[in-house]
């Protein structure tokens, strides 16, 4: 009998420590990845002059390592994606949470989840075959392999994130808010626009940030449709030109680069920049959530 | 050429499991240097050995022996709607360096030129830069126009050329599909426009073609001799064709 209890205790300890180890492992992995990125990327600053890194020419086989065109490329593609995804994403969330009858909601919600699960290479493939020729003809562009094409595909990746998180935020707005607005004679749209959306503002903001975070790090679809020309985009009209993103650069060049070469280190430096930018986006998103929670606690107390 | 060397090595090792072949990339110069240092048995090179390299080898008591193991032609392709059917090598260079930006400047329609290239890590990209953009002049430092689209795959280039009447692209002859238009090219100072084919590559009349070499230290012996013999066999030359290069036999 005592033996049985002892065995049970040992089993318990082992399981608890296993759970604890897997919990800590996530932190350890992130730290190890960051350490590896730093150790491979930071030597760039010793080997490649800063003036080369901030130039506007990226042509690594002749030692031109200007990072600005790549950073600009990533920013403009993400900017375009945000332009498309934010209105569509929020309006879809409003429709699902506030307007749609529950039967439609039951169909729409899983469909959005399916969209979130689409492999991005599949989106890229559809992009090349359908969107690229279509955009070239409709917008009368020299080529359809432009930033905007990438933006539209990325919007497809960001929308499910924005919709499902915004929808949760809208759903958690207390029923009494809407009832009060409607009782004061507000129309359904006025209630949504003036009451429900502002009340869910922080959750919607988080949704937008997380959606943007996803687009910034996306690689495959972007590499297939943006043309990958390392041109420095200086204004929003570059949405209609080919651009090269940081993610596509790493994906295209890492496979052939000699380990330990300048080019190899520069690619890791790009990795660090990507890591930091996504980290900042995620921190902003969670800071918003944190603020919202504190506000709710204040109201409740 | 590393793909070809890898393709051969893999196929040969399945027939002769007792032979171990390891292939390393790094470029023709790296391969020849390793042969001279005695760290490699065979150097794969997409250019012929330089005189100074032969000199260095001789001081190391190594006599490099040359084998032409395959050939490689690069086709310049445009959309089938494009009325242009021939270009000089200089014109192709001017298109890709950004001096010519409209098909009208070449007697074609008034359309902007969209330049397509393989990614910079592709051997074809480097060869095209050296032999077409810079016309084989090692002093020349011209670069691809910065708005040249760098596509990750041959399929990407063929698809865009097929769909877009503004586009021009290039790729290994083996990758060219029937739904794009191949351009006849004339060499520097010549007016003889030649289409790439196995024949015109064979008789050296097509200007954007090169031999691919293997070098051994002295006359090959034993396993190396067998391997080189196999590479020139029909079976190995079929791999050449499959990988988009041109067989020597």
């Amino acid at each position: 009998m005592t033996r049985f209890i002892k065995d049970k205790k040992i089993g318990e300890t082992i399981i608890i420590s296993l759970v604890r180890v897997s919990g800590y492992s996530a932190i350890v992995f992130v730290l190890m990845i960051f350490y590896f990125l730093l150790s491979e990327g930071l030597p760039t600053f010793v080997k490649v002059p800063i003036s080369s890194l901030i130039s506007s020419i990226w042509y690594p086989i002749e030692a031109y390592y200007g990072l600005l065109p790549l950073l600009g490329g990533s920013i403009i593609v993400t900017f375009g994606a945000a332009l498309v995804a934010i209105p569509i994403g929020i309006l879809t969330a409003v429709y699902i949470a506030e307007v749609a009858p529950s039967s439609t909601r039951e169909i729409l919600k899983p469909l959005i989840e399916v969209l979130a699960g689409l492999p991005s290479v599949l989106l890229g493939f559809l992009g090349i075959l359908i969107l690229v020729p279509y955009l070239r003809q409709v917008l009368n562009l020299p080529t359809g392999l432009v930033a905007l094409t990438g933006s539209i595909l990325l919007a497809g990746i960001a929308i499910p994130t924005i919709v499902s998180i915004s929808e949760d935020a809208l759903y958690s707005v207390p029923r009494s808010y809407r009832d009060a607005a409607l009782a004061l004679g507000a129309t359904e749209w006025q209630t949504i626009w003036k009451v429900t959306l502002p009340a869910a503002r922080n959750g919607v903001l988080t949704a937008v940030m997380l959606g943007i975070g996803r687009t910034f790090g996306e690689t495959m679809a972007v590499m297939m449709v943006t043309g990958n020309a390392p041109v420095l985009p200086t204004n929003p009209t570059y949405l209609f030109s080919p651009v090269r993103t940081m993610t596509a650069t790493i994906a295209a060049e890492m496979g052939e680069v000699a380990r330990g070469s300048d080019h190899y280190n520069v690619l890791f430096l790009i990795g660090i920049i990507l890591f930091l930018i996504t980290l900042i986006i995620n921190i902003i998103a969670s800071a918003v959530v944190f603020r919202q929670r504190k506000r709710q606690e204040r109201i409740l107390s | 050429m590393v793909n070809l060397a890898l393709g051969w090595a893999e196929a040969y090792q399945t027939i002769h499991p007792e032979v171990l072949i390891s292939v390393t990339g790094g470029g023709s110069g790296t391969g020849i240097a390793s042969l001279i240092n005695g760290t490699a048995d065979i150097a794969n090179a997409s250019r012929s050995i330089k005189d100074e390299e032969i000199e260095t080898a001789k001081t190391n008591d190594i006599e490099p022996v040359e084998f032409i193991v395959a050939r490689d032609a690069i086709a310049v392709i445009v959309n089938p709607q494009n009325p242009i059917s021939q270009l000089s090598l200089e014109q192709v260079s001017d298109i890709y360096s950004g001096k010519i930006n409209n098909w009208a400047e070449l007697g074609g329609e008034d359309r902007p030129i969209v330049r397509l290239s393989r990614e910079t890590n592709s051997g074809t990209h480097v060869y095209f830069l050296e032999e077409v953009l810079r016309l084989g002049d090692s002093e020349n430092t011209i670069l691809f126009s910065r708005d040249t689209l760098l596509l990750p795959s041959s399929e990407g280039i063929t698809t865009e050329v097929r769909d877009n009447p503004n586009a021009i692209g290039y790729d290994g002859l083996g990758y060219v599909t029937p739904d794009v238009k191949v351009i006849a090219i004339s060499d520097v100072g010549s007016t003889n426009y030649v289409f790439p084919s196995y024949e015109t590559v064979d008789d050296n009349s097509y200007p954007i073609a090169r031999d691919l070499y293997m070098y051994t230290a002295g006359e090959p012996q034993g396993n190396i001799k067998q391997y080189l013999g196999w590479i020139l066999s029909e079976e190995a030359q079929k791999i050449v064709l499959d990988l988009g290069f041109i067989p020597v036999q």
Side-chain angles (χ1 to χ4, degrees), chain B residues 18-34:
Chain B
E18 74 282 3
V19 182
L20 188 75
I21 306 168
S22 70
V23 180
T24 317
S28 304
T30 318
I32 292 171
S34 312

Side-chain angles (χ1 to χ4, degrees), chain B residues 40-145:
Chain B
D41 297 316
I42 301 172
N44 296 279
S46 53
R47 60 166 169 83
S48 59
I49 192 165
K50 293 176 189 160
D51 288 342
E52 50 265 43
E53 287 167 337
I54 298 180
E55 290 304 312
T56 330
K58 277 182 179 156
T59 58
N60 282 8
D61 270 341
I62 285 173
E63 181 78 35
V65 180
E66 179 182 290
F67 297 87
I68 295 175
V69 289
R71 308 207 70 196
D72 185 14
I74 290 165
V76 176
I77 51 176
V78 296
N79 187 276
Q81 284 176 37
N82 194 324
I84 303 270
S85 59
Q86 56 185 42
L87 290 168
S88 72
L89 209 55
E90 290 98 326
Q91 283 173 324
V92 179
S93 165
D94 287 347
I95 290 173
Y96 272 97
S97 65
K99 271 186 217 154
I100 300 178
N101 289 301
N102 194 305
W103 287 108
E105 294 171 59
L106 298 158
E109 296 167 353
D110 178 21
R111 288 178 172 282
I113 296 179
V114 172
R115 310 166 184 92
L116 308 176
S117 165
R118 292 289 301 278
E119 274 286 353
T120 50
N121 58 24
S122 135
T124 322
H125 178 101
V126 178
Y127 176 71
F128 200 80
L129 173 73
E130 288 170 355
E131 297 304 318
V132 180
L133 252 84
R134 299 177 172 173
L135 301 166
D137 178 1
S138 57
E139 304 289 304
N140 196 330
T141 55
I142 274 184
L143 296 178
F144 277 89
S145 167

Side-chain angles (χ1 to χ4, degrees), chain A residues 108-128:
Chain A
L108 263 179
K109 277 205 80 171
L111 271 182
I112 298 280
E113 303 299 325
V114 169
L115 188 60
L118 270 188
S120 70
V121 65
L122 195 69
L123 274 176
F125 200 53
L126 291 175
I128 278 198

Side-chain angles (χ1 to χ4, degrees), chain A residues 21 25 32 35 55 60 65 84 88 92 185 191-192 203 252 254 265 286:
Chain A
V21 166
S25 67
M32 273 163 59
Y35 170 76
S55 79
Y65 295 118
V84 180
I88 297 181
T92 310
T191 308
I192 292 168
M254 192 53 96
N265 293 128
S286 48

